[in-house]
Amino acid sequence: MKILIADNAGFCFGVKRAVKVAYDQINRDDNRRTYTYGELIHNPQVVRDLEDKGIKTIDGIDNLKENDRIIIRTHGIPEKTYKDLKEKKIELVDMTCPFVKRVQKIVNGYHKKGYTIVIIGDKNHPEVVGVNGWCDNSAYVIESVNDVQLLPYIDKACVVAQTTITQKTWEDSLNALKLKVNKLVSFNTICDATNKRQSSAEEISKKVNVMIVIGGKNSSNTQKLKRICEKNCNRTIQIENADEIDLSIFNDNDIVGITAGASTPDYLIQDVINKIATNRKEDTNE
């Protein structure tokens, strides 16, 4: 058996930074109650470990008290929530991904200029919910070309992307929007790490007959990696950790590819590699 590991698998810069800072809060000796606003990242193992160490996840701010500390997740939050937290005198540890922060600023600026905002992405994803909150929740959120067909004709619009969508979704939707908008300003805000991760996964999936995608079941970028790999490898499996691997599915002559979503820590990837490697003879190429 041979194992091929995709480049750029696992933690991206923004997630790695957020996780480090969150764990740093545990060692502070000021006895402040510390929370994350929503799940810090889409990885149940990391979220559970933080909660075990005293950093709880909350989905609202009504029960927060003055001087509590809250870590803003990588996906960001709406502008109103940001202002409400400051008014309540909550200490903010803002771990919004820099790429997401840029999208928020673009949307806010063009909204103030009178442009209609269009976001290409999943309307229920926390990043998109947060970005929409920087234009008074007025954006049209579209997931595909089909959604574009349902839009009215627009005089002038600014379009941005959820940072984890595929390049194809962006290009197809943008081309369709050009037929619906008189004056269209576009910003391809897919993060560079996402592009590289998806491209590497696609490349590896063409070379293997089993593809393993590691990541949280509620992780948007992991789901997209799975769909990309499925197009090239019909034995594509998504797992959250090594415990979910059924070794009986492998054959001695299999070539196994491994990739992982942006919220998957290195140790989970290594656990998967080790479980396969210790049960089968293989060559590992990294």
Side-chain angles (χ1 to χ4, degrees), residues 5-12 193 196-197 200-201 214 225 258-266 269:
I5 303 167
D7 293 336
N8 306 294
F11 273 2
C12 65
K196 289 180 178 178
R197 187 181 304 105
S200 297
I214 312 167
L225 285 174
I258 296 176
T259 189
S263 295
T264 304
D266 290 343
I269 300 173

Side-chain angles (χ1 to χ4, degrees), residues 109-269:
Y110 274 87
H111 174 63
K112 289 177 178 177
K113 293 177 182 179
Y115 281 71
T116 297
I117 303 299
V118 180
I119 305 170
I120 302 175
D122 176 359
K123 65 181 179 182
N124 296 314
H125 191 278
E127 177 191 322
V128 175
V129 172
V131 169
N132 198 9
W134 288 85
C135 61
D136 296 325
N137 298 305
S138 64
Y140 289 108
V141 181
I142 59 174
E143 296 188 33
S144 67
V145 172
N146 291 337
D147 293 334
V148 176
Q149 309 307 325
L150 301 176
L151 295 178
Y153 285 95
I154 302 169
D155 180 40
K156 60 179 184 178
C158 169
V159 57
V160 295
Q162 180 181 334
T163 57
T164 55
I165 68 169
T166 64
Q167 188 66 29
K168 186 177 188 310
T169 297
W170 166 259
E171 291 173 357
D172 290 349
S173 299
L174 182 62
N175 288 333
L177 276 170
K178 290 175 181 178
L179 302 176
K180 283 280 189 173
V181 182
N182 183 40
K183 180 181 179 182
L184 182 64
V185 179
S186 63
F187 294 89
N188 183 346
T189 50
I190 302 173
C191 103
D192 186 53
T194 294
N195 267 329
K196 289 180 178 178
R197 187 181 304 105
Q198 291 175 352
S199 295
S200 297
E202 182 176 26
E203 181 182 345
I204 289 290
S205 67
K206 293 176 181 177
K207 302 176 180 177
V208 302
N209 54 345
V210 181
M211 189 73 196
I212 298 175
V213 181
I214 312 167
K217 291 182 172 61
N218 60 343
S219 165
S220 172
N221 70 85
T222 300
Q223 294 295 330
K224 291 179 178 67
L225 285 174
K226 181 185 177 186
R227 289 197 292 270
I228 288 169
C229 293
E230 284 175 332
K231 292 179 180 178
N232 302 309
C233 179
N234 58 16
R235 292 170 67 194
T236 294
I237 305 156
Q238 183 190 345
I239 59 172
E240 287 192 346
N241 55 61
D243 292 339
E244 296 181 2
I245 298 175
D246 178 5
L247 292 171
S248 68
I249 69 169
F250 299 110
N251 301 313
D252 286 338
N253 60 348
D254 277 338
I255 302 175
V256 180
I258 296 176
T259 189
S263 295
T264 304
D266 290 343
Y267 77 87
L268 285 179
I269 300 173

Side-chain angles (χ1 to χ4, degrees), residues 68-113:
D68 282 347
R69 178 182 296 119
I70 191 158
I71 305 169
I72 297 175
R73 59 188 167 189
T74 51
H75 300 114
I77 57 176
E79 183 180 27
K80 184 179 185 305
T81 305
Y82 201 95
K83 289 180 178 178
D84 288 346
L85 286 167
K86 288 199 167 187
E87 287 179 5
K88 289 172 73 73
K89 297 182 179 178
I90 306 299
E91 180 187 342
L92 300 182
V93 181
D94 190 355
M95 287 294 99
T96 304
C97 169
F99 291 101
V100 175
K101 184 77 78 174
R102 174 176 175 255
V103 185
Q104 293 173 347
K105 289 180 178 178
I106 291 170
V107 163
N108 187 252
Y110 274 87
H111 174 63
K112 289 177 178 177
K113 293 177 182 179

